Amino acid sequence: MRGCSHHFSILVAFLFVAVGGEAVSGFRICAYNVQKFNSQKAANYKVLHTLTRIISRCDITLLQEVTDTDGSAIKALLSSLNRYSGREAQRYEGYHYRSESSSSLGKSPSDMQKYVFIYRTETVNVVDRYQYQNQQQFVRAPLAVHFHSNKTAVKNFILVGLHTDPSNAVKELDRLYDVFKEVLKKWKNKNVMFLGDFHAGCAYMTRHDKKNIRLFTNTSFSWLIGDKMDTTFTDETSCAYDRIVVYGKSFLKAIMPFSARAFNYAQEFKLTRATVLAVSDHLPVEVRLKSSTLLLQATPLLLLVSAVIRSFLSSP
Ligand SMILES: *[C@@H]1O[C@H](CO)[C@@H](O)[C@H](O)[C@H]1NC(C)=O
Ligand SMILES: *[C@@H]1O[C@H](CO)[C@@H](O)[C@H](O)[C@H]1NC(C)=O
C-alpha cells in the first residue's frame, strides 16, 4: 500500500510538471506604475532590460506614469520586447507586442502622464477603446480598452486603467462606478476589470473611507488584491496601493483562484535593490484568467497518467 501511494505522488508531481507550462499558467494581466518612464529612462539598458523581462511574462500589461511625450520610450520598449521574444523564441514562443496609449493626461504641464496597454498580438486583440470624457472628475481620466482573446474562458473583456491622484484617491475611486456604468452602456459587456495604482492604502485610503467608495459598498465588485498586500518595493512602506477589481460573478469565475498578487521580481530575478529602484518603487500586480483550452490540453495527459497508474497498480 505504501509503495502504491508513493508511486501515485510521483505521478501527480509528473502531471503538474507536464501540464504546468502553458495551460496552467493561463492568461496573465499585469499593471505596473513605472514611475516617470520617459526616453531618458528607456535609454538606461538595465532598466529597459528589466522592464522587458517583466512585461514579457504578461499577455497584457497596463503601464502607468508614462511621461514619454513623443512616444519614443514606448517605441524603444516595444522593440526591445519584440527582439527579446525573438531571441528567446523557445521560451517565449516568439510573441509580438503592440501598444494602445492614451494621450498625455494631467492638470499640470510638468506632470503629464499616459496610460499604455502593451499586449501580445498572438493571444489578444483590441476591439475598441474609450477615453473617459469627464476630465473634471479625474486628474488622469481612466482609459478603457475592450479586448478579445481566443485563449481565455471569457472571450470579451474590458480593462479600465486608472492612476489616481493621491490627494483625491477616495473620490476618484468612488467615481469608477460612474465609469463602469458608462462602459456598460457603450459596450453592453459586464466583464469589466479595473486596475492600476489606486493609492488604495496607507494614508490615502483608510478603512473608514470604504463606505464612501461604491466599488466597496456594492458587493458585486471583487477586490482581488487585498488590503494586506504590499505593492511597494521600499522597506519603509507596506501599502496596497496597486489594485485589481472585477465586476460580477461570471468574470470572477473566469479568473484563476488566488492568482492575484504583487510580483516580487527582485526575488524572482535575483536583482539588487538599486536595479529594482532604478525602475520603480512599486511592484507590478497581476492576475491570471482561466484558459479556454485548459481541459483540452490536459486531457491527453490525464489519459496517459491514468494508464500509467493502472499499469503500476496491476504490476506485482
Ligand atoms: C481568434 O479566432 C478568430 C476565428 O478563428 C480569428 O479570426 C482571430 O484572428 C483569432 N484571434 C486571435 C487573437 O488569435
Ligand atoms: C451594484 O451595481 C450593479 C451594477 O450597476 C447594480 O445592478 C446593483 O443593483 C448594485 N447593487 C447594489 C446593492 O447597489
Side-chain angles (χ1 to χ4, degrees):
M1 216 40 230
R2 282 189 57 156
C4 269
S5 68
H6 182 63
H7 286 314
F8 185 71
S9 55
I10 289 175
L11 284 164
V12 170
F14 162 78
L15 177 68
F16 269 102
V17 172
V19 189
E22 193 62 4
V24 167
S25 68
F27 180 101
R28 190 177 271 119
I29 297 175
C30 308
Y32 193 20
N33 179 337
V34 278
Q35 231 189 358
K36 298 197 171 60
F37 183 67
N38 57 17
S39 54
Q40 199 183 345
K41 211 158 160 178
N44 178 329
Y45 171 78
K46 252 186 168 172
V47 168
L48 196 66
H49 183 65
T50 306
L51 266 178
T52 300
R53 291 180 75 187
I54 293 168
I55 297 168
S56 64
R57 296 171 59 257
C58 310
D59 291 272
I60 303 174
T61 306
L62 165 68
L63 297 178
Q64 307 131 71
E65 239 188 277
V66 174
T67 55
D68 172 33
T69 41
D70 64 357
S72 60
I74 290 298
K75 208 170 150 203
L77 178 59
L78 281 175
S79 93
S80 168
L81 274 161
N82 289 323
R83 263 200 321 273
Y84 184 74
S85 71
R87 201 171 58 228
E88 310 247 328
Q90 290 281 302
R91 233 176 115 201
Y92 292 98
E93 306 195 349
Y95 288 122
H96 295 86
Y97 297 84
R98 250 189 230 148
S99 66
E100 187 70 35
S101 307
S102 71
S103 54
S104 291
L105 303 165
K107 295 251 192 281
S108 119
S110 63
D111 184 22
M112 300 298 281
Q113 307 179 8
K114 291 178 185 175
Y115 297 116
V116 180
F117 285 96
I118 294 182
Y119 61 96
R120 288 179 178 163
T121 56
E122 285 82 2
T123 60
V124 64
N125 44 39
V126 169
V127 179
D128 201 2
R129 57 176 275 159
Y130 172 58
Q131 174 64 61
Y132 191 63
Q133 292 303 321
N134 199 331
Q135 303 282 344
Q136 285 78 49
Q137 302 229 323
F138 295 91
V139 169
R140 296 168 281 269
L143 174 66
V145 177
H146 179 186
F147 288 99
H148 173 268
S149 173
N150 292 341
K151 295 261 165 128
T152 47
V154 158
K155 303 271 172 271
N156 284 284
F157 53 90
I158 292 146
L159 303 188
V160 180
L162 173 66
H163 179 202
T164 63
D165 179 46
S167 62
N168 238 343
V170 173
K171 283 213 178 84
E172 289 194 355
L173 281 175
D174 179 54
R175 288 169 186 154
L176 277 180
Y177 187 81
D178 303 321
V179 178
F180 172 75
K181 287 269 171 117
E182 192 89 10
V183 160
L184 205 61
K185 206 168 73 192
K186 187 171 168 56
W187 287 316
K188 318 261 181 297
N189 185 327
K190 290 184 179 173
N191 300 322
V192 180
M193 177 184 288
F194 303 91
L195 70 176
D197 176 5
F198 292 175
H199 291 99
C202 293
Y204 302 116
M205 190 206 81
T206 66
R207 221 149 34 92
H208 292 296
D209 294 321
K210 286 186 180 177
K211 63 178 184 301
N212 299 319
I213 299 172
R214 283 167 287 172
L215 257 57
F216 276 111
T217 56
N218 186 318
T219 51
S220 297
F221 296 91
S222 305
W223 289 65
L224 303 179
I225 303 276
D227 296 344
K228 296 249 156 55
M229 242 179 247
D230 183 8
T231 71
T232 65
F233 181 70
T234 53
D235 292 333
E236 303 81 57
T237 50
S238 175
C239 308
Y241 289 151
D242 304 78
R243 301 287 194 132
I244 298 175
V245 179
V246 294
Y247 175 79
K249 282 219 171 73
S250 63
F251 200 14
L252 191 61
K253 275 192 200 138
I255 287 167
M256 295 179 77
F258 310 111
S259 65
R261 61 167 184 160
F263 175 55
N264 192 335
Y265 62 93
Q267 264 170 26
E268 208 105 346
F269 297 163
K270 302 191 172 53
L271 300 178
T272 64
R273 258 182 82 75
T275 304
V276 171
L277 286 174
V279 182
S280 178
D281 57 359
H282 285 252
L283 291 173
V285 290
E286 64 179 41
V287 72
R288 282 176 289 150
L289 303 189
K290 287 179 186 164
S291 162
S292 58
T293 54
L294 180 60
L295 279 175
L296 226 67
Q297 289 180 14
T299 305
L301 276 157
L302 285 170
L303 289 177
L304 173 71
V305 167
S306 70
V308 177
I309 288 175
R310 256 180 286 130
S311 81
F312 263 114
L313 292 181
S314 60
S315 65

